[in-house]
Amino acid sequence: MHVAVSEHMFAEDCPFVSCHASSLVELPGGRYLVVWFGGAAEGADDVAIWSAMRRTGGWSAPRLVAKVEPSAHWNPVLLRA
């Protein structure tokens, strides 16, 4: 595997304290979509699914895409069919 780019998706001022379990998919037109779960801590009630898109020029701001109260959300997975 060759790593072509290594960069941060967001700064330290992101809207969650903890995040992991990311999934990345390449989209047409050189775009990338990534999802992960983020919140106070793994298993916490505020954990939700977040997303960001990379286009030419950089990453979009993190965006909340799924949250069902009051349960934690777990490892999102992307698949391009």
Side-chain angles (χ1 to χ4, degrees), residues 35 50 57 65 74 77:
V35 293
W50 293 81
V65 294
W74 301 94
V77 176

Side-chain angles (χ1 to χ4, degrees), residues 2 20 25 56 58-59 63 68 72 78 81:
H2 171 73
H20 74 275
V25 66
T56 302
W59 288 97
R63 184 175 72 111
V68 177
L78 297 171

Side-chain angles (χ1 to χ4, degrees), residues 24-47:
L24 174 77
V25 66
E26 183 178 6
L27 301 174
R31 298 172 299 143
Y32 291 87
L33 177 65
V34 65
V35 293
W36 63 91
F37 76 81
E42 186 171 354
D45 287 346
D46 71 337
V47 171

Side-chain angles (χ1 to χ4, degrees), residues 4-81:
V5 175
S6 177
E7 61 191 7
H8 292 281
M9 290 178 47
F10 43 81
E12 293 178 11
D13 61 347
C14 62
F16 38 81
V17 177
S18 174
C19 66
H20 74 275
S22 61
S23 180
L24 174 77
V25 66
E26 183 178 6
L27 301 174
R31 298 172 299 143
Y32 291 87
L33 177 65
V34 65
V35 293
W36 63 91
F37 76 81
E42 186 171 354
D45 287 346
D46 71 337
V47 171
I49 306 299
W50 293 81
S51 176
M53 175 81 68
R54 188 179 199 300
R55 295 182 170 93
T56 302
W59 288 97
S60 67
R63 184 175 72 111
L64 178 71
V65 294
K67 177 61 184 150
V68 177
E69 298 292 341
S71 62
H73 289 53
W74 301 94
N75 306 12
V77 176
L78 297 171
L79 171 69
R80 181 176 167 202

